[in-house]
């Protein structure tokens, strides 16, 4: 700092040392680069693999942690027991034995993975300075070979056989089935337990001697069979380019038949001339039922006249809320939680369709009575202890999630929500629905009501004739 004396008074000049300015400039450049990545990634890395935010993770940490095998760097240091090094070396050996020429040296794989190490590191939200380049490349190579061996079913010449697909799981001995389920859970469903697909592509390209080989096309058949068996989706992708395995699953959850009959123009004035209120939340299933909304199960069908490809294809048709069946098992919650975590960290690239659906279901079925109603309609099927347990799971599904219900760009169900809210606020519909449920659902009450009405009519007619005869 220097002080200079001038005619107008004292002038204080502060000189910031050049190294500090340079450091700040570099930090700003890094921040802009990270912001660009989180906004949608790059062509080689469309999805950023990031840690689940603490506010979300703290609700149920078990939903996001691997229990059988760790993939990628996030759990490499924290859970060394999950490395499964022996299994991964077997996967490496299987890949080496499946090379197109049969003589590709291990050093070639190492060299090729080393060339993409920088791109692979950029696919993570973390720098991982504690992991050396040697260890990082070794991790990518072993994990990539393990995934290709497990789900790509690499055989002679790098080809994939469809014979191993039996209802969405590989053909394995009964004693290995629990391990297979654990691998599927940890490798396909967890947002943090991932490596970028560009690593799998590079390993596959070296194996089959084809620079255009795509690992996603090798694994896509397995994923489609898995989701079809669980009745989550029957979508068929054409030439997918996912960022990682969870993103490949996420690409099958795209609403294909949003409610076209419901206007989404809800930003203007209402019928009374006032500004429309913002949406607060969905009502529960029993509340909608109270105002005359009926519920109907939709069947997944990608080839019919009405395309219903995934559980996200919810529709409202003249007061009937049509919802695809959700079959709940032990892993349903884990899959939904991690799909939302993927969207939360990649809003531009992944969108928020799954989050919108989860918010819808979490508020629609948040009490035991709601689950009981939806179960009676075939919309919810579960093997858990009771409906109260399922309702509790739904109520906690979106805790810690950032989502704006009234955002037309992020909530594909917004128009339908407005239509249901207008129905809920209608007093005429409430009274009509109350009369229908009270007197028309029970045939004996209906018969009694008709008899009372006939008796009342006869009494009035008799009174009129009595007055006329008197006069």
């Amino acid at each position: 700092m220097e002080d200079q004396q001038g005619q107008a008074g004292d002038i204080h000049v502060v000189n910031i040392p050049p190294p500090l300015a340079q450091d700040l400039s570099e930090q700003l450049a890094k921040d802009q680069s990270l912001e660009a990545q989180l906004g949608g990634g790059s062509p080689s890395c469309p999805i950023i693999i990031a840690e689940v935010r603490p506010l979300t993770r703290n609700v149920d940490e078990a939903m996001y942690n691997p229990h059988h095998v760790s993939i990628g760097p996030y759990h490499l240091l924290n859970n060394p027991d999950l490395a499964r090094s022996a299994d991964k070396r077997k996967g490496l050996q299987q890949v080496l034995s499946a090379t197109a020429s049969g003589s590709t040296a291990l050093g070639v794989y190492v060299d090729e993975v080393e060339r993409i190490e920088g791109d692979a590191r950029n696919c993570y939200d973390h720098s991982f300075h504690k992991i050396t380049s040697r260890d990082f490349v070794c991790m990518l190579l072993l994990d990539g070979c393990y995934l290709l061996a497990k789900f790509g079913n690499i055989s002679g010449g790098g080809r994939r056989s469809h014979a191993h697909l039996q209802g969405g799981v590989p053909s394995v001995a009964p004693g290995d089935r629990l391990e297979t389920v654990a691998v599927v859970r940890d490798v396909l469903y967890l947002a943090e337990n991932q490596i970028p697909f560009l690593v799998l592509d590079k390993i596959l390209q070296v194996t089959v001697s084809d620079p255009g080989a795509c690992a996603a096309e090798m694994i896509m058949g397995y994923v489609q069979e898995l989701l079809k068996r669980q009745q989550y989706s029957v979508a068929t992708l054409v030439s997918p380019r996912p960022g990682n395995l969870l993103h490949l699953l996420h690409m099958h959850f795209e609403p294909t038949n949003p409610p076209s009959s419901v206007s989404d123009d809800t930003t203007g004035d209402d019928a009374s001339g006032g500004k429309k209120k913002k949406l607060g939340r969905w009502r529960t299933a029993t509340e909608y039922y109270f105002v005359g909304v009926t519920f109907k199960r939709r069947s997944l069908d990608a080839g019919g006249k009405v395309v219903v490809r995934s559980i996200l294809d919810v529709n409202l048709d003249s007061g009937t809320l049509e919802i695809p069946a959700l079959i709940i098992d032990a892993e349903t919650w884990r899959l939904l939680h991690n799909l939302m975590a993927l969207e939360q960290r990649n809003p531009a690239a992944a969108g928020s369709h799954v989050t919108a659906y989860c918010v819808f279901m979490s508020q629609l079925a948040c009490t035991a009575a709601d689950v009981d109603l939806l179960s009676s309609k075939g919309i919810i099927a579960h093997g858990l202890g009771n409906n109260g347990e399922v309702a509790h799971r739904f109520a906690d599904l979106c805790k810690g999630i950032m989502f704006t219900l009234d955002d037309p760009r992020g909530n594909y169900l917004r128009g339908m929500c407005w239509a249901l809210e207008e129905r809920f606020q209608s007093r005429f519909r409430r009274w009509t629905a109350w009369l229908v449920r009270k007197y028309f659902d029970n045939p004996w009450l209906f018969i009694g009501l008709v008899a009372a009405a006939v008796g009342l009519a006869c009494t009035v007619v008799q009174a009129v004739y009595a007055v006329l005869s008197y006069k």
Side-chain angles (χ1 to χ4, degrees):
M1 182 183 297
E2 300 177 358
D3 292 340
Q4 297 181 357
Q5 183 70 27
Q7 295 180 356
D10 294 338
I11 299 176
H12 299 281
V13 180
V14 178
N15 294 324
I16 300 179
L20 177 57
Q22 182 178 356
D23 291 344
L24 290 175
S25 299
E26 292 177 355
Q27 188 61 50
L28 288 174
K30 290 181 180 178
D31 292 343
Q32 292 176 355
S33 176
L34 178 60
E35 183 178 355
Q37 290 178 352
L38 293 179
S42 63
S44 62
C45 186
I47 293 293
I48 298 300
I49 304 173
E51 290 181 294
V52 180
R53 291 189 175 96
L55 187 62
T56 304
R57 174 183 286 277
N58 291 339
V59 176
D60 193 347
E61 191 170 357
M63 292 290 103
Y64 308 99
N65 291 335
H67 302 285
H68 179 76
V69 59
S70 66
I71 301 294
Y74 281 115
H75 298 279
L76 179 65
L77 300 178
N78 298 333
N79 299 293
D81 294 337
L82 300 180
R84 298 283 174 180
S85 299
D87 292 342
K88 292 178 181 179
R89 286 194 297 269
K90 290 180 181 178
L92 173 61
Q93 183 60 48
Q94 185 172 341
V95 170
L96 290 174
S97 63
T99 55
S101 62
S103 60
T104 303
L106 177 58
V108 176
Y109 285 92
V110 174
D111 292 340
E112 291 296 328
V113 175
E114 284 179 343
R115 290 190 180 95
I116 63 172
E117 179 193 354
D119 293 334
R121 283 183 180 267
N122 289 335
C123 291
Y124 291 94
D125 188 33
H126 215 279
S127 58
F128 300 108
H129 292 310
K130 294 182 179 180
I131 304 179
T132 65
S133 177
R134 175 189 176 93
D135 292 339
F136 200 85
V137 170
C138 180
M139 174 204 68
L140 292 177
L141 179 58
L142 289 176
D143 288 355
C145 292
Y146 177 80
L147 296 179
L148 286 174
K150 285 287 185 181
F151 301 104
N153 194 37
I154 289 182
S155 58
R159 297 184 300 273
R160 178 175 62 88
S161 171
H162 291 273
H164 76 298
L165 292 174
Q166 294 184 356
V169 298
S171 178
V172 295
D176 298 333
R177 189 164 299 277
L178 290 179
E179 179 182 354
T180 302
V181 173
V183 171
V184 169
R185 176 195 62 210
D186 288 356
V187 172
L188 295 181
Y189 291 174
L190 302 186
E192 299 173 345
N193 212 41
Q194 302 289 331
I195 61 172
F197 245 109
L198 63 93
V199 177
L200 302 182
D201 288 339
K202 180 59 66 177
I203 296 174
L204 179 63
Q205 290 162 9
V206 175
T207 303
V208 300
S209 299
D210 180 5
C214 177
E217 295 178 357
M218 296 277 291
I219 303 175
M220 183 171 59
Y222 181 94
V223 170
Q224 289 174 350
E225 289 292 334
L226 174 67
L227 295 177
K228 183 178 180 179
R229 182 189 183 193
Q230 300 294 336
Q231 297 188 32
Y232 295 145
S233 172
V234 293
T236 301
L237 304 182
V238 179
S239 300
R241 292 292 175 180
N244 54 61
L245 281 173
L246 179 63
H247 186 216
L248 179 60
L249 266 70
H250 181 272
M251 294 171 71
H252 290 78
F253 292 87
E254 186 79 15
T256 58
N257 188 31
S260 57
S261 60
V262 179
S263 173
D264 199 34
D265 184 14
T266 55
T267 58
D269 298 340
D270 58 18
S272 62
K275 292 292 181 181
K276 288 187 177 181
K277 297 180 181 180
K278 291 185 176 181
L279 289 172
R281 56 161 292 143
W282 290 92
R283 306 290 178 176
T284 65
T286 51
E287 288 177 313
Y288 285 136
Y289 180 72
F290 179 77
V291 296
V293 175
T294 57
F295 295 89
K296 179 181 178 181
R297 171 182 174 175
R298 300 190 87 183
S299 299
L300 297 184
D301 184 6
K305 183 177 180 180
V306 178
V307 178
V308 183
R309 298 200 307 179
S310 73
I311 57 175
L312 271 62
D313 286 326
V314 181
N315 187 47
L316 179 63
D317 183 15
S318 301
T320 299
L321 192 54
E322 302 172 343
I323 307 174
L326 179 63
I327 301 177
I328 299 173
D329 59 20
E331 305 303 329
T332 302
W333 312 111
R334 182 172 283 103
L335 176 60
L336 295 178
H337 275 288
N338 283 273
L339 287 175
M340 285 192 291
L342 176 76
E343 292 183 344
Q344 292 284 288
R345 303 310 296 265
N346 297 274
S352 58
H353 297 317
V354 175
T355 303
Y357 169 80
C358 289
V359 171
F360 163 69
M361 290 299 297
S362 68
Q363 298 179 0
L364 188 74
C366 59
T367 70
D370 300 321
V371 176
D372 182 64
L373 173 61
L374 296 177
S375 297
S376 67
K377 303 298 182 180
I379 295 173
I380 291 179
H382 69 89
L384 303 184
N386 52 65
N387 290 337
E389 182 180 350
V390 177
H392 177 72
R393 286 284 193 175
F394 273 121
D396 290 344
L397 183 59
C398 295
K399 285 187 176 179
I401 295 296
M402 294 183 296
F403 181 75
T404 303
L405 188 65
D406 211 31
D407 180 12
R409 295 171 299 178
N411 183 9
Y412 76 102
L413 295 173
R414 176 174 177 262
M416 189 179 68
C417 186
W418 267 112
L420 288 172
E421 183 63 20
E422 290 177 356
R423 174 179 288 269
F424 182 82
Q425 298 295 341
S426 172
R427 292 184 178 181
F428 173 77
R429 292 184 183 276
R430 286 190 179 190
W431 280 102
T432 302
W434 179 81
L435 287 173
V436 170
R437 284 199 315 276
K438 186 172 180 64
Y439 294 105
F440 292 91
D441 282 353
N442 191 325
W444 294 110
L445 288 177
F446 175 70
I447 294 173
L449 179 63
V450 172
V454 171
L456 178 61
C458 293
T459 302
V460 171
V461 171
Q462 183 180 9
V464 171
Y465 276 101
V467 172
L468 293 176
S469 63
Y470 176 75
K471 289 182 177 181

